[in-house]
Amino acid sequence: LTMEVVPVNVAAEVIDWYRALVSQLEGLCLPLECEKAETWGERLAIPRKGGGLHFGEPERREAAAAYARLGVLYEFVSLSSQLAERAEACRRLAAVLAAQQDLPPDKVMDKYKQLQRQALALTAHFEEELPSLRERFAAAYLPDTAAASLEGLHRALPSLLDAVVRLCDEEYDAWCAESTEARKRFRTPR
């Protein structure tokens, strides 16, 4: 009997709400992904045929401020979802690779190594920015879950080590079961 404790992702509600909001914004032709440094305020600088603009300066300023607030929300959702998805990948990779029985052990090890490197690079990237991220998230009244999201990924990393150790045990047991020295030499990893 094994039991796995998976921490609750508090940011999940914000992520779900954000995804619904993004689809509504895209329906209004206000995508979050504007051209380079373009903001909603700049997008609303639509010239009229007779001169002037359709939207005044106060409206464009409000739109630019709303875009800035939504940018912080985008960062929050991006950080939280990337860390949660990578943690889930760490916990599930062993089961996924077990289903691919035609994959040789060295390729399986490469998959574990690749995921571990990606996860560690992701945590290093966000850990560097954690103080400034937390400050920006707090200013936007977002939940303080950045550290918990990083911790969730840290907790998932040992599952990769566990899977690697199990794979090595299986390989060693198979090697020990070989009957002749010639076969053992053939199976010896290089």
Side-chain angles (χ1 to χ4, degrees), residues 95-166:
V96 169
L97 292 176
Q100 299 176 359
Q101 298 201 353
D102 59 327
L103 210 56
D106 61 324
K107 298 293 183 196
V108 171
M109 292 295 275
D110 286 344
K111 298 278 186 188
Y112 288 129
K113 180 174 73 173
Q114 180 183 11
L115 181 57
Q116 180 199 24
R117 284 188 176 163
Q118 290 171 350
L120 291 175
L122 188 65
T123 58
H125 171 72
F126 285 128
E127 282 173 344
E128 277 180 16
E129 298 181 24
L130 188 60
S132 65
L133 287 170
R134 290 177 89 173
E135 191 175 299
R136 287 198 307 271
F137 296 162
Y141 302 104
L142 293 167
D144 185 16
T145 60
S149 295
L150 280 165
E151 183 62 29
L153 182 51
H154 286 148
R155 285 188 190 133
L157 285 171
S159 62
L160 291 177
L161 177 62
D162 183 49
V164 167
V165 168
R166 274 189 271 120

Side-chain angles (χ1 to χ4, degrees), residues 5-50:
V5 177
V6 178
V8 174
N9 183 2
V10 179
E13 284 182 39
V14 176
I15 293 169
D16 292 342
W17 174 81
Y18 174 81
R19 289 184 177 147
L21 176 67
V22 167
S23 67
Q24 289 176 352
L25 289 172
E26 286 175 354
L28 297 170
C29 297
L30 291 173
L32 287 178
E33 297 84 21
C34 292
E35 295 294 321
K36 295 186 182 172
E38 182 183 47
T39 68
W40 288 344
E42 293 164 344
R43 285 183 72 115
L44 293 179
I46 304 166
R48 286 187 175 160
K49 283 187 179 181

Side-chain angles (χ1 to χ4, degrees), residues 170-172 174-175 178 182-189:
E170 290 168 10
E171 282 295 302
Y172 179 73
W175 182 79
E178 292 292 339
R183 286 185 184 168
K184 282 186 179 183
R185 255 184 278 129
F186 180 72
R187 282 188 58 95
T188 301

Side-chain angles (χ1 to χ4, degrees), residues 41-42 59 85 126 176:
E42 293 164 344
E59 294 166 316
E85 288 165 7
F126 285 128
C176 288

